Every structure is written in structure tokens, then in C-alpha cells.
Amino acid sequence: MTSGLTLSENAAARVAAIAEKQGRPAILRLSVEGGGCSGFQYKFDLGEPEDDDSVSETSGVKLVVDPVSLDLVAGSVVDFVESPGGAAFRVENPNAAAGCGCGSSFGI
């Protein structure tokens, strides 16, 4: 099932490197939980897809999202960015009406 979610090439390369180092499949799970400074926060983990997950793929790396989280992140782009302040996965979420400076939480 496709979701309109996109994993950037940078993010796919980073997931592949992390997965290889840990000896796990290159599958990034994105979920949304309550909390964070803006109401919701993104959570990233390596994990196998469940039957009802939405799955997209970039360069052989899968991005999976559960149905509840998908309502909040549909149409998003997951990127991996490096800056002098550090490196992190970032979600460019068109559904977010507000966000925090660190990019890890958002509001609707």
C-alpha cells in the first residue's frame, strides 16, 4: 500500500547504513505519539512492517507507517539532514500547522 509518504535519498542512505551496522533489514518505521512541545512528536525505529501499515520505498529502503499515524503524516517527506548542530531525521509535514525549533514535534 502506498501512502504519499516519501523517503529522501539522503534518508534512505542513512537508514541503509544504520541497518547494515545493526544487522537488521533497511526498514524505517515512522510513528506519531502524543507529547513534545507542540502536541505530537515523531518517533523513528527500525522494524518490520505490519499487515495494515502503509509502505513506500526509496533505493531499496522501506518507510512504514501505521494507519493511525498515517492520518497525521500523509504527504510528508522524511529527510536526513546534517548541520553543525548535529544530524537527524526530519519530517516535512504538510499537515502540521505548528512545529518546534528542533523539528521533532508538531501541532495540527
Side-chain angles (χ1 to χ4, degrees):
M1 172 189 324
T2 59
S3 59
L5 282 172
T6 305
L7 187 63
S8 74
E9 290 291 336
N10 281 344
R14 183 63 177 171
V15 171
I18 292 169
E20 181 178 352
K21 189 173 187 177
Q22 294 184 8
R24 299 178 69 184
I27 302 170
L28 180 66
R29 174 171 291 284
L30 168 62
S31 58
V32 176
E33 298 178 339
C37 51
S38 296
F40 294 103
Q41 59 189 0
Y42 301 111
K43 181 180 175 190
F44 296 98
D45 195 10
L46 294 179
E48 294 291 331
E50 302 290 329
D51 290 338
D52 58 350
D53 283 344
S54 179
V55 180
S56 64
E57 190 170 327
T58 301
S59 299
V61 176
K62 292 181 181 176
L63 173 63
V64 298
V65 181
D66 64 90
V68 173
S69 297
L70 183 60
D71 287 342
L72 300 169
V73 297
S76 295
V77 175
V78 177
D79 196 9
F80 182 76
V81 294
E82 296 182 80
S83 68
F89 288 101
R90 291 280 167 98
V91 180
E92 297 171 22
N93 187 345
N95 305 303
C100 67
C102 67
S104 65
S105 69
F106 68 102
I108 301 261

